[in-house]
Amino acid sequence: MRLVRYGEIGKEKPGLMEKSGQLRDLSAHLQDFAADAFSPASLAKIAGLDASQLPAVAGNPRIGSPVGGSPKFIAIGLNYSDHAAEVGMALPSEPIVFMKANNSLCGPNDSIEKPRGSTKLDWEVELAIVIGTRAKYVSEADALNYVAGYSICNDVSERFFQLERLGQWTKGKSHDTFGPLGPWLVTKDEIADVQKLPMWLDVNGKRCQTGSTATMIFGVKKIVSYLSELMTLMPGDVIATGTPPGVGAGMKPPKFLNVGDVVSLGIEGLGEQRQKVIAA
């Protein structure tokens, strides 16, 4: 299933996107896609509905983040060996974990705000995991049983804030609009092998990132298991899993986003995003 939240910011409704491209309204069956709405029981109930009998949504409404509520927004850094090399950092011996403020979550096609004082605004196409079942001390062998599905995340980053203003990476990762998610959440049963998904990102129509989840240093199973030893993962939590090479900071010379630039990105089977950069 492709689960969607649509409508104005703060007024999103739950929906189901059919493979034909028809959006169907699910608001008669659940209030929102948040927390326990991602549980196995909830997803099974939605899967049992006859989609053709759900109200069709007319027009082209705004698509929001497929995850509502206030989830934890966790991210993994330097999780592709070729990306670590391009930015001159050593390969991690275990996952690098940082947090993005949940206010940074936004829709897949919402504008990206360039913060005041920003000089190094960057892009990162990433696979996002959405947790469906409370996870604490889970094994790698069982890890996927705790996953509801997957989505695309653009881990927007302000490198000056992140790396040169002291403290943790969270500083450069948490501005409003720094976490476009979507266009939908694809339930895990739709993805044959999450470690074999091609991914790409363009800036102003020029290809910058080309990669695959096959080259992740730490795969989805490892990430979920590892994080569950550090914190309890809850339904609706979002985990961005790292980016392949081609970020602006790794270019020679470095290249960063400016107001008016357009970023497009996608992951096979998970859809595409498009954002325009605006001033905050």
Side-chain angles (χ1 to χ4, degrees):
M1 296 183 293
R2 297 188 294 180
L3 309 179
V4 181
R5 295 173 68 250
Y6 70 96
E8 298 177 20
I9 294 174
K11 298 180 180 179
E12 293 90 347
K13 296 180 179 181
L16 177 69
M17 182 65 74
E18 294 184 293
K19 291 185 178 179
S20 66
Q22 177 61 59
L23 177 59
R24 301 281 181 172
D25 180 33
L26 279 170
S27 56
H29 299 274
L30 73 162
Q31 184 175 356
D32 196 6
F33 279 124
D36 289 337
F38 296 110
S39 70
S42 175
L43 296 183
K45 179 181 177 181
I46 296 168
L49 298 173
D50 182 352
S52 67
Q53 299 304 306
L54 297 171
V57 179
N60 294 291
R62 169 187 172 269
I63 301 297
S65 162
V67 178
S70 298
K72 290 195 290 295
F73 195 176
I74 311 164
I76 307 298
L78 298 178
N79 198 26
Y80 288 71
S81 58
D82 34 11
H83 169 57
E86 75 172 343
V87 294
M89 295 186 178
L91 293 182
S93 58
E94 58 182 281
I96 294 174
V97 180
F98 62 92
M99 307 296 288
K100 290 174 72 77
N102 56 28
N103 62 270
S104 65
L105 278 172
C106 65
N109 304 313
D110 291 346
S111 297
I112 294 171
E113 292 185 3
K114 184 176 182 181
R116 298 173 186 179
S118 169
T119 58
K120 298 180 179 181
L121 187 63
D122 209 344
W123 58 83
E124 296 187 14
V125 57
E126 306 201 5
L127 170 75
I129 306 165
V130 179
I131 297 297
T133 302
R134 181 181 182 274
K136 183 175 183 178
Y137 294 114
V138 304
S139 68
E140 289 186 44
D142 291 336
L144 294 187
N145 293 328
Y146 296 83
V147 173
Y150 306 100
S151 193
I152 303 169
C153 177
N154 185 358
D155 178 18
V156 182
S157 309
E158 212 302 328
R159 303 299 187 191
F160 174 66
F161 294 2
Q162 176 190 356
L163 301 172
E164 301 177 51
R165 292 187 61 180
L166 305 180
Q168 299 180 346
W169 286 6
T170 301
K171 278 185 177 180
K173 299 282 190 172
S174 295
H175 193 275
D176 293 349
T177 73
F178 272 23
L181 192 71
W184 37 69
L185 179 151
V186 179
T187 51
K188 63 183 176 184
D189 59 295
E190 298 279 344
I191 305 299
D193 188 344
V194 72
Q195 300 300 160
K196 292 184 179 179
L197 300 180
M199 56 210 305
W200 57 272
L201 182 145
D202 295 347
V203 177
N204 297 328
K206 181 179 180 180
R207 184 59 45 92
C208 294
Q209 289 189 274
T210 302
S212 169
T213 57
T215 63
M216 290 168 64
I217 299 170
F218 306 106
V220 170
K221 293 179 181 179
K222 174 65 176 180
I223 290 169
V224 172
S225 175
Y226 181 86
L227 289 174
S228 78
E229 297 175 359
L230 304 177
M231 64 190 83
T232 300
L233 300 175
M234 300 299 292
D237 283 353
V238 177
I239 308 166
T241 60
T243 197
V247 300
M251 294 183 175
K252 301 187 188 317
K255 178 181 178 181
F256 298 108
L257 295 170
N258 293 302
V259 171
D261 287 342
V262 175
V263 182
S264 304
L265 57 150
I267 299 178
E268 186 175 287
L270 301 182
E272 299 183 5
Q273 301 184 354
R274 183 182 185 277
Q275 301 108 26
K276 185 175 181 179
V277 180
I278 62 172

